Amino acid sequence: MTPRTFPGPVQFLFIGLCGIAVFLSPIVRSLLPDRFLLDDQHLQNAIEDPGFASEDGSFHVLAQFYQALGLESSPLVAATVSMLVLVICLLLALDFGQWDRAGALGSCLLVLSLVLGLAYLAQFTKEFVSLLVVLVLLLTLRWKNEFARALIIIGVCLTYGLLVRPYWTLVAALIPVVYLILRRFRHVLVIVLAIVVAYIVLAIAFQVFRGEALGATREWVNSGRADSPVATLISNPDFGTSPVAGVLAILVVAGFMLVPIPLFAMGSVYYLAAALAITVLWTVVAVAIFSGRAMREPRTAWMASVLLSLFLVLVIFEPDYGSYLKHLTPFLPVFVALIPLSRSEPGRAGDANKGRNHELHEPQNSGLCGTSSARGLEKRTTR
């Protein structure tokens, strides 16, 4: 029987939903509440007035970026471009032929990616640059050279931090450390201990270089929202003023950002859906790490390292769950790339042998030991 080339159900879903999302991208912007368009309004002001918000240079860097792309006067085209880049990233995360093996989880993450993409990416936004970081990440992971991978992934994150979002310099510094840990360990206790140690080191660094405790920036941002209360604020628990209490408070926040119990407790369908989406996303990452895939597959380790490093930093700065979900949206293709795929049909064994990750079929010990062992086996067989 020849391999089946006709698109399967999930592939048809992918084609249809991506087409609808791209079609809606220039329309949905006019339908969103104002709270979804804060970046868009700031960027349009920065494009029209170079003196606007001069204290925040990142908006002017982005304004110049959109001008370089020729999109400064075309917000509807900019929205369409963002959604097209998101679709490309989803195809880089899983090749089109593999989407039919993504199952129900893949379908749900596809819908989530496109819905949140329309809400947060189909406009002038800093998240478009995050999406370009994801595009570079997924393209780089198709290369075999590990040194080139590391250089480009860390370099693009560092550049993002230097030009647009300063906390990304911290993300760039954490990525290689997290990568090395994930390539060597998979046990839950080891990973949790590493996270605790990371926050202890970061707490010391923040006190020395910034003169503040972890989470102080979040408290400062939220204190200025008294006149416009936000229902989904993330607050630091008050365990006292000691360094140990500060680290403990951050660990509690981290737990609530992995499994957002405050959102679940709100009870409304909207918040329940958001809480469930966040929980599922980090469950996908946890499975990739604790199943040992990150130890075996460099590609998986790099993706998990970027996501985990980003999470560790967002726990320190993120002011509310809405911003948290917004900042995760460009990285949804990376979460998609980590989902486990079902086994292919016998008639499609050729495709299955290619595998999702090129590293799965690279020789793990291709030096003299592996070659000599094979030759020794041949000699014993011929005798």
Side-chain angles (χ1 to χ4, degrees):
M1 182 181 293
T2 58
R4 176 166 64 86
T5 58
F6 198 72
V10 181
Q11 291 167 318
F12 268 121
L13 184 69
F14 182 91
I15 295 171
L17 291 180
C18 288
I20 292 172
V22 173
F23 174 78
L24 290 177
S25 55
I27 302 172
V28 73
R29 181 173 170 274
S30 62
L31 304 176
L32 291 172
D34 289 342
R35 69 178 184 274
F36 284 87
L37 298 170
L38 296 179
D39 268 10
D40 181 88
Q41 294 165 2
H42 277 78
L43 279 168
Q44 288 196 71
N45 290 333
I47 289 171
E48 296 168 1
D49 178 14
F52 172 78
S54 57
E55 70 281 359
D56 189 350
S58 63
F59 282 108
H60 294 280
V61 171
L62 280 174
Q64 293 170 6
F65 178 67
Y66 277 109
Q67 288 169 345
L69 295 177
L71 299 173
E72 74 280 6
S73 60
S74 306
L76 301 185
V77 176
T80 305
V81 169
S82 293
M83 290 305 297
L84 285 172
V85 175
L86 177 61
V87 171
I88 292 171
C89 288
L90 288 169
L91 282 172
L92 288 172
L94 285 182
D95 292 336
F96 183 69
Q98 295 172 332
W99 271 98
D100 205 33
R101 296 169 53 206
L105 179 59
S107 300
C108 291
L109 291 189
L110 171 63
V111 172
L112 180 68
S113 300
L114 296 175
V115 169
L116 292 182
L118 287 171
Y120 293 121
L121 298 176
Q123 55 182 281
F124 288 130
T125 175
K126 291 182 180 181
E127 307 317 315
F128 179 58
V129 185
S130 295
L131 188 62
L132 294 179
V133 171
V134 171
L135 179 64
V136 173
L137 168 66
L138 294 173
L139 286 172
T140 302
L141 290 176
R142 292 181 170 246
W143 296 4
K144 302 293 184 182
N145 190 305
E146 277 295 300
F147 179 76
R149 280 180 174 178
L151 191 64
I152 293 174
I153 292 171
I154 297 170
V156 73
C157 294
L158 184 61
T159 303
Y160 186 24
L162 293 174
L163 295 179
V164 181
R165 280 187 165 141
Y167 67 73
W168 267 88
T169 56
L170 190 54
V171 176
L174 286 172
I175 287 173
V177 179
V178 176
Y179 176 80
L180 292 175
I181 292 173
L182 296 186
R183 292 287 283 155
R184 287 162 176 77
F185 304 102
R186 55 176 283 189
H187 198 281
V188 176
L189 291 179
V190 175
I191 302 300
V192 171
L193 179 61
I195 291 173
V196 173
V197 171
Y199 280 128
I200 292 173
V201 173
L202 287 171
I204 295 172
F206 269 57
Q207 284 290 351
V208 172
F209 296 106
R210 294 171 60 100
E212 65 182 46
L214 292 180
T217 300
R218 169 174 40 248
E219 293 299 315
W220 176 78
V221 170
N222 286 341
S223 65
R225 292 173 156 186
D227 297 332
S228 55
V230 179
T232 61
L233 287 180
I234 298 174
S235 301
N236 297 328
D238 186 7
F239 293 140
T241 58
S242 69
V244 174
V247 172
L248 183 59
I250 284 294
L251 291 174
V252 172
V253 172
F256 285 155
M257 289 177 67
L258 287 174
V259 182
I261 295 174
L263 288 186
F264 280 115
M266 290 181 179
S268 74
V269 175
Y270 176 77
Y271 293 129
L272 284 174
L276 183 61
I278 292 170
T279 305
V280 169
L281 290 175
W282 291 115
T283 300
V284 169
V285 178
V287 170
I289 294 173
F290 301 133
S291 67
R293 278 175 48 210
M295 285 183 64
R296 298 190 303 268
E297 305 166 11
R299 181 176 183 265
T300 298
W302 278 116
M303 291 188 291
S305 299
V306 171
L307 293 176
L308 189 53
S309 299
L310 175 61
F311 171 78
L312 292 173
V313 175
L314 290 181
V315 168
I316 299 173
F317 295 106
E318 206 65 270
D320 60 81
Y321 285 103
S323 298
Y324 178 40
L325 201 55
K326 174 184 176 181
H327 294 152
L328 288 181
T329 296
F331 295 89
L332 289 176
V334 185
F335 287 98
V336 168
L338 290 176
I339 64 175
L341 300 180
S342 62
R343 294 188 178 183
S344 60
E345 300 170 7
R348 304 177 75 178
D351 294 332
N353 289 336
K354 293 178 183 177
R356 172 176 53 184
N357 303 321
H358 300 296
E359 288 85 356
L360 285 175
H361 302 288
E362 289 177 357
Q364 297 298 317
N365 295 297
S366 56
L368 294 176
C369 294
T371 307
S372 60
S373 299
R375 288 176 180 169
L377 179 60
E378 290 177 1
K379 289 180 181 179
R380 288 194 296 271
T381 305
T382 53
R383 288 178 185 174

